[in-house]
Amino acid sequence: MAQQPRTTTLPKRPRIYLAGPEVFLPDALDLGRRKAELCAAAGFAGLFPLDASLDLSGLAKLEQARRISRANEDLMRSCDLLIANMTPFRGVSMDSGTAFEIGFMRALGRPVLGYSNVTPDLRQRSLSFRARGIPPGDSDRPDVEIEDFGLADNLMMAIAIVEAGSGVIIHAAKPGAEMTDLSAFAACLEAARRLIPNGN
Amino acid sequence: MAQQPRTTTLPKRPRIYLAGPEVFLPDALDLGRRKAELCAAAGFAGLFPLDASLDLSGLAKLEQARRISRANEDLMRSCDLLIANMTPFRGVSMDSGTAFEIGFMRALGRPVLGYSNVTPDLRQRSLSFRARGIPPGDSDRPDVEIEDFGLADNLMMAIAIVEAGSGVIIHAAKPGAEMTDLSAFAACLEAARRLIPNGN
């Protein structure tokens, strides 16, 4: 009987969806590459949202948005967990699209991890926001309650991340480096390795 | 043979999760009741998030947050669709917890509808935010891209709502009434009736 050819199958690396507002940076692809390299070194495959890499030329704006949404939803469904950059973005809270993505993965029952590169909690940031004067059209008002749970952002995201074991990892980045400092991201990868032991 | 007793079973009304930052208002329960009444008149059961109605006395802050999160996630899983108040809240975008909830229901494959009580789109609001000066710790920077799809908020939420058939319903509420004006919410209920015909 002829000998069967030996096939080597590499173990599938767990896939991490890299959520965050970095997709809007001019050097988005570069930063995505740096994150993916850190993932690879920890035994994971890091997948960056596809906003910046789809060919959308010639498409109407709504169709462009639809393609990005579909690509990112498909990418999330293909991933085993998510790490979110929850650093405040254009307001008191994290990027709203990233909040959507945390909810999406949470509903799929997959672990969500997250970090923020600023230290004041949601309550402190909400008070600072008010102190600057509520902008026209904003639905905040002086008598609106401010969450006071000592959490980094709205409890729905924060608790989803607490449930994954680590809580939101907080790091004080230097001013101007809130988007690019990856030390808290690296700490999330350590937490991911504790959570999914088949990372290296 | 004895006649079986006749039982009358009312048709189950489709359940709508009422997402939005109204939970933080001093009159949250009252506003929730008004929304639920509009739902009932349209043939739906309106379910308000449970932040304001759980008994959390004597619990540590983290445990309080955990109970609220669990109650709201369970409530979402019990609902057939979601209507979100996407009016800007403490920044350029909608309430981040509401964004989480849109993503959660989207991942479950349930229709999501939404409205905003201000008319400028995400791009216009982002430009206004910058014009006021980027606050310390915020990860916006002058070279960070601003989404330009003509949508009411980040495309992940906006497209999820477009896919449900209606798109985000926009209404110009009077200044100060951004949280309480329910005419756009009523328009969402009309859209929900077109989507789920077993509403009255």
Side-chain angles (χ1 to χ4, degrees), chain A residues 48-120:
Chain A
F48 204 58
L50 294 167
D51 303 45
S53 56
L54 295 174
D55 180 10
L56 303 170
S57 51
L59 297 174
K61 281 184 182 182
L62 183 63
E63 185 56 25
Q64 291 183 27
R66 206 190 292 263
R67 300 272 178 109
I68 295 170
S69 161
R70 190 174 311 156
N72 288 346
E73 289 193 0
D74 288 348
L75 192 62
M76 281 192 281
R77 289 186 190 279
S78 81
C79 284
D80 302 290
L81 67 160
L82 172 147
I83 297 180
N85 178 358
M86 300 171 73
T87 309
F89 187 67
R90 295 179 187 153
V92 165
S93 275
M94 59 183 298
D95 168 51
S96 60
T98 304
F100 172 100
E101 292 172 337
I102 294 176
F104 193 97
M105 289 293 269
R106 173 76 174 160
L108 297 182
R110 303 189 192 158
V112 287
L113 301 168
Y115 67 96
S116 172
N117 278 337
V118 305
T119 52

Side-chain angles (χ1 to χ4, degrees), chain A residues 17 21 23-27 51 56 61-62 64-66 68-70 72-73 76-77 85 87-109 118 126 129-130 132-141 143-151 153-157 159-160 162-163 176-180, chain B residues 17 21 23-27 51 56 61-62 64-66 68-70 72-73 76-77 85 87-109 118 126 129-130 132-141 143-151 153-157 159-160 162-163 176-180:
Chain A
Y17 185 87
V23 291
F24 302 118
L25 284 180
D27 49 352
D51 303 45
L56 303 170
K61 281 184 182 182
L62 183 63
Q64 291 183 27
R66 206 190 292 263
I68 295 170
S69 161
R70 190 174 311 156
N72 288 346
E73 289 193 0
M76 281 192 281
R77 289 186 190 279
N85 178 358
T87 309
F89 187 67
R90 295 179 187 153
V92 165
S93 275
M94 59 183 298
D95 168 51
S96 60
T98 304
F100 172 100
E101 292 172 337
I102 294 176
F104 193 97
M105 289 293 269
R106 173 76 174 160
L108 297 182
V118 305
S126 299
F129 178 83
R130 279 195 191 160
R132 289 166 53 93
I134 299 170
D138 196 283
S139 55
D140 194 18
R141 298 185 327 212
D143 62 345
V144 176
E145 186 186 345
I146 292 177
E147 270 194 34
D148 184 18
F149 298 109
L151 297 169
D153 210 306
N154 180 286
L155 69 88
M156 296 303 290
M157 285 80 85
I159 294 298
V162 166
E163 299 282 330
E178 291 89 355
M179 287 280 252
T180 51
Chain B
Y17 185 87
V23 289
F24 302 118
L25 285 180
D27 48 353
D51 303 44
L56 303 170
K61 281 185 183 182
L62 184 63
Q64 292 183 26
R66 207 191 292 263
I68 295 170
S69 161
R70 188 174 311 156
N72 288 347
E73 289 193 358
M76 281 193 280
R77 288 187 190 278
N85 178 358
T87 308
F89 186 66
R90 296 179 187 154
V92 165
S93 276
M94 59 185 296
D95 168 51
S96 60
T98 304
F100 171 101
E101 294 172 336
I102 294 176
F104 194 98
M105 288 293 270
R106 173 75 173 160
L108 297 182
V118 306
S126 299
F129 178 82
R130 279 195 190 159
R132 288 165 55 93
I134 299 171
D138 196 282
S139 55
D140 194 18
R141 299 186 327 213
D143 62 345
V144 175
E145 186 186 345
I146 292 176
E147 271 194 35
D148 184 18
F149 297 108
L151 296 169
D153 210 305
N154 180 286
L155 69 86
M156 297 302 290
M157 284 81 84
I159 294 298
V162 165
E163 299 283 331
E178 291 89 355
M179 287 280 253
T180 51

